[in-house]
């Protein structure tokens, strides 16, 4: 991110917000150098959950990071755009220099239903998102997940 005279106050506030988060969550949230946290960002680390934000990561406005007993790793230079949401019960890893678009939700869990159709809990599986190692046509983004989902049927 190139800083201009107009963007200095916003960058200073973003760095201040990341420092406050680091103080609040002490040992459970690891924040790299020059991480920008925009206004309205919500971070919830529940039940000994951990999170790590790599150097120069950017959480845009109103991003929600919710970790319930699991862990989240956001690689260096990765940006989560406005109103995105990450909810992890087990583990979510996002590699270096990834761009997550606006209004994207990344969840590592799904509802588990019993034979009678009632909710009986959650099924979880780790998710890993990263970049192709070299230049590729198109955007060059690959989703490397360990979950296999079947196509929707009518």
């Amino acid at each position: 991110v190139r800083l201009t005279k107009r963007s200095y106050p916003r960058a200073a506030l973003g760095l201040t917000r990341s420092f406050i988060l680091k103080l609040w969550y002490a040992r459970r949230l690891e924040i790299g150098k020059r991480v920008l946290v925009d206004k309205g960002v919500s971070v919830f680390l529940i039940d000994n959950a951990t999170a790590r934000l790599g150097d120069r990561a950017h959480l845009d406005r109103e991003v929600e990071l919710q970790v319930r007993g699991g862990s989240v790793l956001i690689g260096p230079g990765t940006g989560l755009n406005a109103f995105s949401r990450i909810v992890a019960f087990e583990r979510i890893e996002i590699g270096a220099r990834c761009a997550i678009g606006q209004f994207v939700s990344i969840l590592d869990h799904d509802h588990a239903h019993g034979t009678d159709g009632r909710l009986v809990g959650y099924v979880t599986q780790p998710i890993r998102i990263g970049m192709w190692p070299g230049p590729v046509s198109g955007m060059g983004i690959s989703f490397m997940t360990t979950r296999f989902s079947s196509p929707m049927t009518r």
Side-chain angles (χ1 to χ4, degrees):
V1 175
R2 185 173 170 212
L3 293 177
T4 63
K5 200 172 195 179
R6 274 183 83 184
S7 65
Y8 280 126
R10 183 176 178 200
L13 285 172
L15 292 172
T16 302
R17 286 185 196 99
S18 68
F19 180 72
I20 290 169
L21 281 174
K22 190 183 285 191
L23 289 176
W24 184 262
Y25 284 109
R27 295 183 181 118
R28 296 190 302 151
L29 178 63
E30 184 181 328
I31 297 180
K33 297 176 184 173
R34 298 183 72 181
V35 172
L36 295 179
V37 178
D38 220 328
K39 64 182 177 181
V41 170
S42 301
V43 176
F44 303 100
L45 300 178
I46 303 164
D47 297 334
N48 294 320
T50 60
R52 187 168 76 193
L53 306 176
D55 296 344
R56 293 180 172 259
H58 179 211
L59 304 182
D60 209 344
R61 65 186 189 281
E62 304 297 331
V63 165
E64 180 182 338
L65 180 63
Q66 190 178 134
V67 190
R68 296 177 175 263
S71 64
V72 168
L73 168 69
I74 297 175
T78 292
L80 275 73
N81 281 310
F83 305 100
S84 293
R85 194 170 161 236
I86 295 178
V87 182
F89 280 29
E90 191 171 332
R91 183 171 181 83
I92 295 177
E93 293 180 32
I94 302 175
R97 298 178 313 280
C98 291
I100 305 298
Q102 290 184 342
F103 300 101
V104 171
S105 291
I106 301 172
L107 312 165
D108 70 347
H109 61 280
D110 198 1
H111 298 284
H113 298 279
T115 55
D116 59 355
R118 290 186 183 196
L119 179 67
V120 294
Y122 296 97
V123 177
T124 65
Q125 195 165 9
I127 291 179
R128 188 172 178 201
I129 300 172
M131 294 286 289
W132 287 106
V136 179
S137 63
M139 292 298 289
I141 296 174
S142 73
F143 293 92
M144 299 176 287
T145 65
T146 55
R147 180 180 306 186
F148 177 79
S149 60
S150 59
M152 293 178 61
T153 57
R154 291 187 180 195

